[in-house]
Amino acid sequence: MSHHHEHLTTQLDGVAFWENHYGQSERIWSGKVNRVIEELVAPLDAGTSLDIGCGEGGDVLWLAANGWKATGVDISPTAVKRAAEEAAKLGLDAGQARFIASDLAVWNTGETFDLVTLSFFQAPFEFPRADFLRKAATLVAPGGHLLALSHASMPSFAGKPDHPMPAFPSPEEELAALELDPEQWEVLCAEIRERSIMAPDGNPATLEDSVVFVQRIA
């Protein structure tokens, strides 16, 4: 199989997987911003932002409500449609919150952004995640920030999975994958953070997030 065909197959797997994922219910996510994003981004001056793998747009909508000109890209048209509908309900126009349905592997823009986020950009199948991380870094404007959040482990309440699981990258692995030039980037945070959540059965539980927060200084 040629490399081109391999990419097409991965792309179809990706679209089909995520469309199935979002098609199973009315809404998958809570719509609330991730707390790590809120903590790290709140002190920044609002500018332009890009959320890669934005899902139903919770983070984008929070950024837009806080003065950012926020863009979200996701491979699932269903998720993007929901995000755009939610933005309209909140009275946010396309200049404040816009959503694009596209595979990052083929999506390109002439823009750079003051903030680029990738939250839980993981899937239970192989895809070139390191390539996407590096592409995300190229979209950061000088002085801008890149925030990569990922699941660092299974939730505390989870049993043994019966299907393939996404890789759980450590902050060190994320930084290695990014291949950042130390003369152009400053690492502000690279750590695993624990947060408290409610398990599906209503009991308290914990999640571990791998957090990598870097700034382009040149």
Side-chain angles (χ1 to χ4, degrees):
M1 186 186 277
S2 74
H3 176 72
H4 178 64
H5 280 120
E6 276 178 24
H7 171 67
L8 282 180
T9 309
T10 308
Q11 194 179 353
L12 288 175
D13 282 352
V15 175
F17 173 82
W18 291 112
E19 276 297 273
N20 179 57
H21 180 70
Y22 285 107
Q24 287 174 33
S25 68
E26 280 300 298
R27 193 166 181 90
I28 299 282
W29 307 113
S30 70
K32 293 189 176 75
V33 69
N34 181 286
R35 204 170 70 224
V36 174
I37 291 181
E38 190 171 8
E39 287 170 9
L40 293 175
V41 172
L44 303 180
D45 292 332
T48 55
S49 66
L50 172 67
D51 186 17
I52 294 170
C54 66
E56 294 163 330
D59 295 347
V60 175
L61 298 173
W62 179 83
L63 286 159
N66 283 276
W68 293 78
K69 291 183 176 175
T71 300
V73 177
D74 198 278
I75 198 170
S76 165
T78 297
V80 163
K81 181 167 174 285
R82 280 185 198 158
E85 286 169 356
E86 196 61 29
K89 270 190 219 162
L90 295 170
L92 297 166
D93 65 33
Q96 297 165 292
R98 63 174 172 156
F99 295 95
I100 299 161
S102 182
D103 179 354
L104 185 67
V106 296
W107 181 72
N108 287 297
T109 174
E111 294 176 74
T112 56
F113 300 85
D114 299 312
L115 173 68
V116 177
T117 55
L118 298 94
S119 299
F120 310 115
F121 201 68
Q122 293 155 287
F125 53 82
E126 285 296 314
F127 72 106
R129 189 167 183 279
D131 292 349
F132 289 160
L133 279 169
R134 287 192 287 272
K135 183 169 183 176
T138 69
L139 299 172
V140 178
H145 294 77
L146 173 67
L147 174 56
L149 282 181
S150 55
H151 298 295
S153 62
M154 292 286 288
S156 60
F157 58 80
K160 191 164 166 46
D162 57 0
H163 55 82
M165 288 306 296
F168 294 123
S170 68
E172 294 75 21
E173 287 168 334
E174 296 283 75
L175 284 172
L178 277 163
E179 296 178 347
L180 300 174
D181 180 344
E183 291 189 2
Q184 293 191 318
W185 293 87
E186 184 180 350
V187 178
L188 304 177
C189 172
E191 64 190 29
I192 288 177
R193 291 193 179 187
E194 193 175 274
R195 59 189 160 108
S196 301
I197 58 160
M198 203 63 80
D201 63 5
N203 286 313
T206 54
L207 280 181
E208 286 189 330
D209 296 332
S210 173
V211 181
V212 170
F213 190 44
V214 294
Q215 182 175 21
R216 182 187 285 277
I217 51 178

